Amino acid sequence: MPSLVVSLPGKPQATYPINRPCTRIGRSIGNDIVLASPTVSSAHAILMLSGTRLAIEDLGSSNGTFVGRARIQRADLEDGSVVSIGDHTLKLVAERKAMAYEPTMLVRSTATARKAYLQRLDGARPGECIELTKVVSSIGKPGECMVTFIRRGDDFAVRFADGPAAPRLNGAVLGDAPVRLDAGDVLDTDFGRLQFLLQEPAVRLQWPGGDRSQPAEPAAHAPGPMAWLRRAMSRAPASLIASAATNS
C-alpha cells in the first residue's frame, strides 16, 4: 500500500499508510491525518484511493494545497509526489516490490552504465559522496547498524543487514528484503542520513555521416598559383633565404 511521509522543519518525520478509500487531512482532531498548525485549515484536503490510483482534493482551505509548486483543486498523485499543506511537506511513497538478487551474480561494467552514490546529509562530513562500485556493498558496523546495497545492472536495492534497530527508507521501516531504490531516496540510519543519487551516462550525439562530438580536421588549402614558390622556399637552405632577404 502507498504511504504518506509527513515532515515539518525541526520535527521528526511521521509515516501514514494510505489504506482506505478516503483519508482526510486537516487541523481538527477528527481528521485521519492531523496537522497541528495554524497554517492548516480544520478540514484542509482529502486523499481518495481507487485501486492503484491516488488523488488529492482541496476542501476549500484558506492557504491552499500545492502539488510541487502548483496550487491545485484536485490532482492525481504518483510515487514521489510532494504535497505542501501549510508548513507541512507530504511525500507520497508507493509500495515497492522486493528486488530479487543473487549475491554472487556478475554485473558487467560498461562505459554507459549509470553511477550510483550515497551522499551524507548530516554528521561530521555533510555533502560527502560514497560511490557504490560493487555488486554488493555493505555500510555500517555489524551489531550496531549495517545496511547492504545491491546492484543488478542499472537497478539498485537496499536491505537491512544487521543491528538492533532497523533504519528507515523515506520514513518507512526497512526490512531484510531488498527494496528497489529511486534517485533521491533518503535512508535514516544510526550512523546518519544518506541520500541515494544516480548519475546518468554522458550521451554522445550520432549525426549522419559520423560523430560530431570531436572537432573536424581543418580542410587542406587548395594549391594556389604561388604554391611552387612556397615549396621551393621550404626546400632552400637557410643561408640562401637570408641572403635573398638582405638583397631585397
Side-chain angles (χ1 to χ4, degrees), residues 33-223:
I33 299 177
V34 178
L35 305 179
S37 169
T39 61
V40 179
S41 296
S42 299
H44 198 108
I46 185 171
L47 291 168
M48 292 164 289
L49 180 65
S50 177
T52 59
R53 184 177 178 181
L54 183 65
I56 188 169
E57 182 175 332
D58 186 82
L59 297 177
S61 64
S62 300
N63 294 322
T65 300
F66 294 79
V67 175
R69 296 183 179 181
R71 184 168 181 167
I72 58 93
Q73 178 59 40
R74 180 188 173 100
D76 290 331
L77 301 178
E78 58 186 15
D79 186 22
S81 291
V82 176
V83 179
S84 298
I85 294 180
D87 298 330
H88 293 77
T89 299
L90 296 75
K91 182 177 180 181
L92 181 68
V93 180
E95 182 178 20
R96 302 187 187 180
K97 297 179 180 179
M99 187 176 85
Y101 79 103
E102 173 58 47
T104 58
M105 66 179 290
L106 175 64
V107 176
R108 298 186 183 276
S109 177
T110 66
T112 59
R114 295 192 293 181
K115 293 183 178 180
Y117 300 87
L118 296 174
Q119 185 178 45
R120 298 186 187 274
L121 300 180
D122 56 11
R125 300 186 298 274
E128 179 186 44
C129 288
I130 305 167
E131 185 175 359
L132 301 175
T133 58
K134 299 179 180 179
V135 176
V136 179
S137 303
S138 295
I139 296 178
K141 294 182 179 180
E144 295 183 10
C145 182
M146 189 166 71
V147 292
T148 299
F149 294 87
I150 306 110
R151 176 171 189 164
R152 185 170 187 176
D154 275 345
D155 291 326
F156 293 82
V158 63
R159 61 181 290 269
F160 176 44
D162 191 23
R168 290 179 176 269
L169 180 64
N170 299 324
V173 175
L174 182 66
D176 57 2
V179 177
R180 191 182 305 274
L181 286 167
D182 291 329
D185 285 347
V186 175
L187 186 68
D188 288 283
T189 71
D190 286 350
F191 50 84
R193 303 189 76 206
L194 301 170
Q195 186 171 36
F196 178 71
L197 303 175
L198 279 174
Q199 178 183 352
E200 297 294 338
V203 177
R204 293 172 63 89
L205 297 178
Q206 297 296 322
W207 297 80
D211 185 354
R212 296 188 186 177
S213 59
Q214 298 294 331
E217 292 292 331
H221 291 289

Side-chain angles (χ1 to χ4, degrees), residues 70 100 246:
T246 302

Side-chain angles (χ1 to χ4, degrees), residues 16-40:
Y16 298 89
I18 309 301
N19 53 9
R20 59 181 67 183
C22 295
T23 302
R24 293 183 174 273
I25 304 172
R27 190 178 71 248
S28 297
I29 299 299
N31 289 284
D32 301 302
I33 299 177
V34 178
L35 305 179
S37 169
T39 61
V40 179

